Amino acid sequence: MSGTDAGTTLFRGVLPYGEGEPVDVLVADGRIAEIGRVTQRADRVVDAQGLVALPGFVDLHTHLREPGREDTETVQTASEAAALGGYTAVFAMANTDPVADNPVIVEYVWQRGRDVGLVDVHPIGAVSVGLRGERLAELGAMARSRAGVRLFSDDGHCVSDPLLMRRALEYTRALGGVVAQHAEDPRLTGGAQAHEGPAAAERGLAGWPAPAEESVVARDCLLAHHTGGRLHVCHVSTAGTADVLRWARGRGEGTITAEVTPHHLLLTDERLATYDPVNKVNPPLRTAADTEALRTALAEGVVDCVATDHAPHAPQEKDTEWACARPGMLGLQTALSVVVLTMVETGLLDWRGVARVMSERPAEIAGLADQGRPLRVGEPANLTLVDPEARWVVRGGELASIADNTPFEGMELPATVAATMLRGRLTSLDGKVLS
Ligand code: DOR
Ligand code: ZN
């Protein structure tokens, strides 16, 4: 929908980046038309007193499950969750069924996103055919398709063959793309069920050792420097990986970026005590020292951004014994609150920092020209309004996703998304989707 169709909207008394005095923000033709004391009439007036305005959030890592697992999530339901969570763009992981390793599937997902129209859905293309890690997928054809793929990932699986990774970095470089790596050496994690440490040992669960991630990240950083290709490290989960990234950035800026999930900023392997598979995720929940190190790395910019790794699963895949359960957690509607809890309430980030890690950096990494833009007159009206004083209790059954596997069930979390706007059109308001 174009901004003209959306009419004009006036946000009264909002705080851009949570700073200074409240201002009015007028949106017209899909763009920010005026900031200040606005006297002009508007088609819609939103009382935004006490709300913080931020650029719309961008999620580089979302599992939408369509095609193939529409019993757990669809582009429609994930778009609703995204709009309610403050997102204006999401990147759809390629581990669907069939796998998004060719132009037909990425165009299908892209088109579904446009039809729903609540959030920009950007398909990620698989690096290898069928995610099998053997030969490169049709990277160029996906890049040239209507979906305009720029991010490539075998997420769920690691591109563990160093030669394939090298070629992927070279080809994507030529395409202006990025390889998003799920860093996990499968030789070190075969059969693993939880972070390797005392908590897993006590319960007799096979361990997923931190070096299985760190060694692949180190290798890939060296390959990125060598090839000039762009590497994005998915869901950084250990203090050691943060150290590797610090070291790699010291050797030359620009080609390496990284994300952390909200759950790895907050939850630890102490959750194993419950034996509840809702806490099973890949990479696994680590130690309190790791969450501390990840928070510091995010605050410092060693880790660039937050990405949800929103991973819906059916009840029968989660309400089962730990070893049989699928890894993954919902994230789109809880991400902001967990970032506020772990980064804002701890003093590690202010609202400008939240804009950086939730909007600006992910948009830059993905090369989106119209997302993550500053709140200025003339910029596209992709906006999120946050109520910083509100608190809410998470109920999986009340989230927009079909699946309900949230690890934050019953927790009271700070901050709510009061409104989301995509190119001048409100997509959510006061916890309701506007379609
Ligand atoms: O926990 C996870 N779930 N990690 C992944 O890498 C894949 C994801 C999924 O697709 O469920
Ligand atoms: Zn992954």
Side-chain angles (χ1 to χ4, degrees):
M1 184 188 273
S2 78
T4 319
D5 297 331
T8 54
T9 302
L10 178 59
F11 296 106
R12 276 231 181 276
V14 73
L15 289 168
Y17 305 105
E19 294 167 357
E21 294 298 312
V23 292
D24 305 330
V25 174
L26 179 70
V27 172
D29 293 327
R31 292 185 177 271
I32 299 175
E34 245 184 279
I35 299 179
R37 181 90 193 89
V38 177
T39 49
Q40 195 179 315
R41 292 171 63 87
D43 299 327
R44 189 196 278 264
V45 178
V46 176
D47 177 7
Q49 284 182 58
L51 303 184
V52 172
L54 301 174
F57 302 151
V58 176
D59 189 6
L60 294 179
H61 193 146
T62 320
H63 296 275
L64 303 188
R65 301 295 190 227
E66 187 178 346
R69 286 305 305 270
E70 292 86 347
D71 59 317
T72 62
E73 193 78 294
T74 63
V75 173
Q76 174 76 44
T77 57
S79 296
E80 291 173 7
L84 292 168
Y87 288 90
T88 48
V90 299
F91 283 76
M93 271 300 170
N95 65 339
T96 49
D97 183 11
V99 171
D101 60 4
N102 63 77
V104 175
I105 302 297
V106 294
E107 286 193 354
Y108 170 79
V109 174
W110 176 80
Q111 187 63 52
R112 288 287 303 124
R114 293 204 16 141
D115 292 346
V116 174
L118 287 170
V119 60
D120 288 348
V121 174
H122 297 282
I124 295 174
V127 170
S128 71
V129 175
L131 309 174
R132 283 193 292 275
E134 290 163 2
R135 59 195 172 89
L136 289 182
E138 301 171 50
L139 309 185
M142 290 191 278
R144 286 186 296 273
S145 76
R146 285 188 304 151
V149 175
R150 287 294 175 273
L151 255 56
F152 296 90
S153 182
D154 273 2
D155 181 62
H157 302 266
C158 181
V159 180
S160 62
D161 177 349
L163 182 58
L164 194 76
M165 189 62 184
R166 175 192 179 152
R167 296 286 177 246
L169 287 163
E170 287 168 344
Y171 275 93
T172 52
R173 180 185 176 197
L175 300 168
V178 183
V179 180
Q181 173 73 298
H182 169 122
E184 170 185 357
D185 187 329
R187 295 280 291 145
L188 289 171
T189 61
Q193 295 290 337
H195 172 64
E196 184 178 298
E202 264 171 42
R203 284 157 196 90
L205 295 172
W208 196 131
E213 174 174 304
E214 295 151 2
S215 59
V216 172
V217 175
R219 179 202 76 178
D220 289 351
C221 287
L222 294 170
L223 287 172
H225 285 310
H226 186 69
T227 59
R230 287 185 53 204
L231 169 71
H232 178 70
V233 183
C234 294
H235 41 52
V236 172
S237 72
T238 78
T241 300
D243 288 341
V244 170
L245 289 168
R246 225 172 250 119
W247 159 81
R249 282 164 185 271
R251 301 180 79 237
E253 272 292 332
T255 61
I256 296 156
T257 57
E259 69 188 32
V260 62
T261 70
H263 48 269
H264 287 112
L265 289 172
L266 180 62
L267 307 177
T268 68
D269 64 351
E270 284 170 27
R271 282 276 184 121
L272 291 178
T274 67
Y275 245 126
D276 184 343
V278 78
N279 298 304
K280 184 171 175 179
V281 65
N282 186 11
L285 300 180
R286 306 280 186 188
T287 67
D290 291 305
T291 59
E292 277 303 311
L294 295 173
R295 292 178 191 190
T296 306
L298 183 64
E300 288 176 354
V302 169
V303 169
D304 299 78
C305 65
V306 172
T308 65
D309 196 2
H310 177 85
H313 288 297
Q316 67 272 19
E317 293 166 328
K318 279 298 197 182
D319 301 340
T320 179
E321 60 192 287
W322 185 282
C324 301
R326 298 284 297 273
M329 312 174 153
L330 298 185
L332 284 168
Q333 283 180 255
T334 46
L336 169 74
S337 292
V338 175
V339 169
V340 171
L341 180 65
T342 56
M343 302 298 297
V344 179
E345 293 197 341
T346 53
L348 289 166
L349 287 182
D350 57 13
W351 290 107
R352 260 193 203 267
V354 174
R356 173 168 61 81
V357 301
M358 300 285 284
S359 312
E360 293 161 10
R361 288 299 292 140
E364 285 165 10
I365 290 166
L368 299 182
D370 63 342
Q371 299 278 352
R373 300 291 306 160
L375 301 175
R376 274 204 305 250
V377 169
E379 295 289 355
N382 296 315
L383 305 172
T384 302
L385 267 59
V386 174
D387 184 343
E389 301 302 330
R391 300 185 71 84
W392 63 297
V393 176
V394 182
R395 301 279 173 221
E398 293 170 9
L399 301 175
S401 293
I402 298 171
D404 62 2
N405 53 304
T406 172
F408 309 112
E409 179 72 36
M411 282 178 71
E412 190 184 277
L413 295 179
T416 54
V417 172
T420 310
M421 176 171 264
L422 176 66
R423 282 186 289 282
R425 186 166 72 91
L426 284 166
T427 55
S428 82
L429 186 64
D430 295 332
K432 303 227 167 19
V433 174
L434 304 185
S435 44

